[in-house]
Amino acid sequence: NVAARQPDAESGCALMATELLVSDDDAGQRLDRWLKARDVPFAGLQKALRTGEIRVNSKRVDGAVRLVAGDKVRLPPQLQPDAAKAPAPNNKAALKQWQSLILFEDESFVALNKPAGLATQGGTGQKRSVDSLAQLAFPTATPKLVHRLDKDTSGVLLLAKSRAAAAALAAQFAEHTAQKTYWAAVRGTVSKTQGVIRAGLSKGVGGAQLREMMLVDYDAEILETEYTVLGRAKELCWLALKPREGRTHQLRVHCASKNMPIYGDGKYGTAERGVRLHLHARRLSLAHPLTGRRLELTAPLPPHMLTTWGLCGWDDGARPTPH
């Protein structure tokens, strides 16, 4: 969206103001919300609007103004998106990583196989994230996240290339017509081959380190997770998990609440040195946002899961038909 850069005449110094161009897809949005979606620092935003440092087509406006395709939005230097969040220019390694993650891509959206350890969004101490890779791959029209995965969870992740696609995809998640299947290795004995875990969740403080986490709350809205045992070996069970809702840490807390914590989950289970979280967003079934055609998106398993299951005696020939 960066259309041009020009000297900051008001300050009379060498700092540069930025001019952003509003696309057809962004028409109709409020100015303040449009700027927040582009990582414009919130601090000072309202003041800059009041003093006229932010302008649309060279005119002073307030944050509630609705944008029109082709509008030129001028930002003062102090409100340009945080450079620390942006990936380094010409980062060939990052672009190569982005390409390696793509499972499916067309004009509406892109589906990635997010690796464990890569944050979905940038933040304090995060040098690289799915968001920053997307900004590098699409510098003028960055795809937007439709949903999220925990940093240590791998698997299918969607980014929409337009507002219409984002709305259509998000609606399927909200209406539970997008069918999500996760694979997990859990510790403990799972007596039934199939079942449904029902428990509400709420934020609280718990665990040995008394840190903020999601806790079972039977007074909250009841959430459901369907599970199916795909294999067993020693102290581990291989499960297919299908959350109906997909709330923060739902699968991790639900499994832990039934004394079958996910292997490698140091927050809701037992920390084990050198063991990574064994939770993978294996499959996502949903309708294409433009054509309505049903898509089945499948993410290959990460190496640390294949290694674990191989040591437990599972191999390609022994694995059951995936759910």
Side-chain angles (χ1 to χ4, degrees):
N1 289 330
V2 176
R5 290 182 180 270
Q6 58 190 30
D8 188 355
E10 293 178 2
S11 66
C13 64
L15 295 177
M16 304 289 282
T18 299
E19 192 173 83
L20 305 178
L21 185 65
V22 178
S23 68
D24 292 341
D25 192 53
D26 291 329
Q29 292 190 60
R30 284 175 54 121
L31 172 62
D32 51 3
R33 294 172 184 168
W34 185 79
L35 290 173
K36 285 179 65 177
R38 277 147 186 79
D39 294 324
V40 173
F42 182 77
L45 178 60
Q46 296 302 322
K47 180 180 178 181
L49 286 166
R50 289 195 304 271
T51 58
E53 292 181 278
I54 296 176
R55 299 189 175 223
V56 176
N57 301 329
S58 301
K59 297 179 181 178
R60 296 180 64 152
V61 293
D62 62 33
V65 68
R66 298 285 176 174
L67 296 172
V68 176
D71 278 349
K72 295 178 180 179
V73 180
R74 179 190 180 278
L75 293 181
Q78 71 272 19
L79 287 185
Q80 292 173 24
D82 187 356
K85 294 183 180 179
N90 303 318
N91 192 328
K92 293 182 180 179
L95 282 172
K96 185 176 180 180
Q97 181 183 15
W98 172 268
Q99 290 296 326
S100 72
L101 303 181
I102 296 174
L103 296 171
F104 173 89
E105 182 177 8
D106 67 3
E107 69 279 6
S108 296
F109 74 99
V110 56
L112 303 179
N113 182 13
K114 188 190 83 67
L118 179 66
T120 302
Q121 290 181 296
T124 304
Q126 298 291 342
K127 294 183 178 180
R128 184 168 293 175
S129 65
V130 173
D131 255 355
S132 69
L133 291 175
Q135 290 169 25
L136 180 61
F138 298 88
T140 60
T142 305
K144 299 300 178 183
L145 290 160
V146 176
H147 60 124
R148 287 159 179 75
L149 294 176
D150 293 344
K151 180 179 178 180
D152 294 323
T153 301
S154 55
V156 183
L157 182 70
L158 304 185
L159 296 92
K161 293 184 176 182
S162 68
R163 286 178 62 197
L169 292 169
Q172 294 185 61
F173 282 91
E175 296 165 5
H176 311 306
T177 56
Q179 299 171 1
K180 298 166 286 185
T181 301
Y182 291 75
W183 280 2
V186 300
R187 278 208 172 276
T189 301
V190 184
S191 57
K192 296 181 180 180
T193 57
Q194 289 184 319
V196 179
I197 303 170
R198 296 181 175 90
L201 303 177
S202 63
K203 285 185 178 180
V205 176
Q209 299 179 4
L210 294 178
R211 54 184 171 177
E212 185 177 280
M213 58 199 304
M214 300 302 293
L215 302 173
V216 170
D217 182 355
Y218 289 101
D219 291 327
E221 175 193 359
I222 297 300
L223 310 176
E224 296 185 350
T225 299
E226 176 187 339
Y227 70 86
T228 301
V229 176
L230 299 182
R232 303 175 189 269
K234 298 182 180 179
E235 298 178 354
L236 296 177
C237 283
W238 176 15
L239 303 182
L241 300 169
K242 296 183 178 181
R244 182 174 184 273
E245 297 82 8
R247 302 288 172 81
T248 301
H249 295 179
Q250 178 176 334
L251 299 181
R252 297 166 67 180
V253 179
H254 273 186
C255 286
S257 73
K258 296 301 180 182
N259 296 317
M260 52 180 196
I262 296 176
Y263 188 40
D265 190 348
K267 188 167 188 175
Y268 297 101
T270 302
E272 299 179 70
R273 187 173 181 179
V275 178
R276 305 180 71 177
L277 182 69
H278 282 58
L279 180 60
H280 180 66
R282 170 64 173 178
R283 181 172 291 107
L284 181 59
S285 174
L286 75 171
H288 189 281
L290 183 61
T291 67
R293 179 171 61 92
R294 199 73 186 175
L295 297 176
E296 303 288 336
L297 304 169
T298 301
L301 289 167
H304 69 280
M305 290 189 189
L306 289 172
T307 300
T308 297
W309 290 334
L311 292 173
C312 291
W314 287 314
D315 58 43
D316 289 336
R319 290 173 187 158
T321 302
H323 287 63

